[in-house]
Amino acid sequence: NHHREEVLRIFKSYDLNADGKLQKHELMRILQKLDPVGMTDAVLNKIMAEVDINMDGAIDFEEFLNWAWSDSGIHHEMF
């Protein structure tokens, strides 16, 4: 669907090393664009703990997609 393709486009644009995962610093780039003042390391750590379901230290596309469309996700700011 269109929204999934758009989320994938955004995901790939921030996946700097093209490994199919967002590392912590890559996710921080997205979040700082949305909230440059409020996005702290503590907030990022909380988000990583919530979103990184398989606990591998990175966010894969399915984890990102699930989070983006969850109640606590970023879809309101992105779309």
Side-chain angles (χ1 to χ4, degrees), residues 29-77:
R29 290 187 64 213
I30 297 171
L31 299 175
Q32 283 183 325
K33 284 186 181 244
L34 298 173
D35 186 2
V37 175
M39 189 47 54
T40 64
D41 284 338
V43 173
L44 177 62
N45 289 336
K46 182 179 176 192
I47 291 170
M48 286 293 293
E50 176 186 334
V51 179
D52 185 15
I53 301 300
N54 64 7
M55 299 176 6
D56 67 350
I59 308 299
D60 64 36
F61 178 66
E62 290 302 320
E63 290 170 332
F64 184 79
L65 184 65
N66 290 334
W67 174 63
W69 292 105
S70 71
D71 289 339
S72 62
I74 60 173
H75 68 277
H76 298 292
E77 290 85 358

Side-chain angles (χ1 to χ4, degrees), residues 7-30 48 51-65:
V7 173
L8 180 59
R9 184 190 65 73
I10 291 167
F11 180 89
K12 285 182 175 183
S13 73
Y14 285 96
D15 181 12
L16 301 178
N17 62 0
D19 67 352
K21 298 180 179 187
L22 293 178
Q23 306 303 318
K24 196 172 184 178
H25 69 278
E26 293 169 325
L27 182 60
M28 182 62 117
R29 290 187 64 213
I30 297 171
M48 286 293 293
V51 179
D52 185 15
I53 301 300
N54 64 7
M55 299 176 6
D56 67 350
I59 308 299
D60 64 36
F61 178 66
E62 290 302 320
E63 290 170 332
F64 184 79
L65 184 65

Side-chain angles (χ1 to χ4, degrees), residues 1-11 78-79:
N1 90 25
H2 173 69
H3 291 297
R4 183 182 175 91
E5 291 171 13
E6 182 65 12
V7 173
L8 180 59
R9 184 190 65 73
I10 291 167
F11 180 89
M78 290 173 63
F79 302 102

